[in-house]
Amino acid sequence: MAVAPECRTTPFGTTTLTAVGLRGELVFASGARGVLDGLRWPDNPELAGAAAAWLETQRSVPLILVARGETDRWGRAHVDASVADGALDLAGGLVEAGLATVDAGERDSLCRPGLLAVESGARQAGRGLWREAEQDAQDGAALRLRLGGFVVARGRVLWVGERPRRTYLDFARRGEDGLTVTVSKRTWRQLQERGLSAATLRGRLVRVRGIVEVWRGPTLDVASADMIEILDTAQGR
């Protein structure tokens, strides 16, 4: 299988961490700036502070960096960073501690899908940000309170509407207040390549993640097929 352009790796060598920014930006002794690939920094200031403090413990520790894809619009590299002796992966450590959520961000692919399993363990253990439950995709009022914030929501897809440019996944019945997920034409094609369709998605229990917007009701615009997780089987729905 071909590697997505945003997931292609370039070794950055060994360096050390010298500073951690407010939104998780990392500054290295080599002069490079980067963010850990596949993560969403916490919106909650307390959790963001805890995540920064966790990373600060790795200051001056030799790190092996691998960049993924091109630098972002701010000139930062998306990197995998691991302690040189192989004992710790920074992204995995943050997710395991419940101090970051998995997110493909503006990229089409999640380059490290294995992080979802690490996140699942933190969620089941109630660590960090998972002390609070996932958002209920049928609770529109609660979702509106998170306007502009990143959420992880869970619910059953009640209706799938295919349109020429976008596909809509509705988690509430017409007239009820719940989440709608909008899926780009390209992402919908990727989901179809994975064997999903309007017929096979309807009634399925899924987990979705993204930034809450409000258009008639709360919506998430999902740009990566990896940000839609199927939580049940077609037979078991």
Side-chain angles (χ1 to χ4, degrees):
M1 181 180 296
V3 177
E6 60 267 33
C7 295
R8 291 172 184 160
T9 58
T10 303
F12 253 38
T14 302
T15 186
T16 55
L17 178 66
T18 58
V20 180
L22 293 176
R23 297 298 302 166
E25 181 175 285
L26 309 180
V27 181
F28 300 101
S30 62
R33 295 183 301 121
V35 291
L36 294 171
D37 189 60
L39 295 190
R40 174 77 187 187
W41 196 251
D43 292 326
N44 179 294
E46 181 180 348
L47 288 170
W54 189 95
L55 287 171
E56 288 280 2
T57 64
Q58 303 306 314
R59 265 183 183 252
S60 303
V61 176
L63 299 172
I64 298 174
L65 302 185
V66 176
R68 289 190 180 272
E70 302 294 331
T71 57
D72 64 19
R73 68 177 88 173
W74 298 282
R76 305 175 306 185
H78 284 243
V79 299
D80 297 337
S82 57
V83 175
D85 63 7
L88 179 67
D89 167 74
L90 298 194
L94 281 171
V95 172
E96 185 177 29
L99 296 176
T101 46
V102 179
D103 180 29
E106 297 180 351
R107 299 189 163 200
D108 291 335
S109 301
L110 179 65
C111 300
R112 297 183 59 190
L115 287 173
L116 290 169
V118 178
E119 183 190 88
S120 178
R123 184 166 48 247
Q124 291 174 17
R127 289 192 287 270
L129 58 89
W130 300 114
R131 290 173 192 148
E132 296 184 4
E134 300 167 271
Q135 294 288 312
D136 181 352
Q138 290 188 311
D139 191 345
L143 287 164
R144 279 187 174 83
L145 294 176
R146 300 292 301 276
L147 177 63
F150 183 86
V151 302
V152 179
R154 170 186 172 119
R156 288 197 181 275
V157 179
L158 300 185
W159 181 255
V160 180
E162 292 185 83
R163 301 292 184 270
R165 294 187 177 182
R166 290 195 174 275
T167 296
Y168 299 87
L169 312 182
D170 290 325
F171 290 80
R173 294 179 176 83
R174 185 180 296 274
E176 296 179 349
D177 191 13
L179 180 67
T180 294
V181 169
T182 62
V183 182
S184 70
K185 183 177 180 179
R186 179 177 181 179
T187 302
W188 183 242
R189 186 167 58 247
Q190 292 173 338
L191 288 168
Q192 290 176 314
E193 290 170 354
R194 299 180 184 189
L196 296 173
S197 66
T200 59
L201 262 175
R202 197 174 298 125
R204 303 290 289 277
L205 182 65
V206 305
R207 179 181 293 119
V208 293
R209 58 189 73 208
I211 303 294
V212 179
E213 300 174 356
V214 174
W215 181 75
R216 296 184 180 174
T219 65
L220 297 182
D221 186 24
V222 175
S224 169
D226 297 310
M227 299 296 91
I228 300 177
E229 300 172 74
I230 307 300
L231 303 180
D232 60 3
T233 63
Q235 293 78 14
R237 57 179 173 171

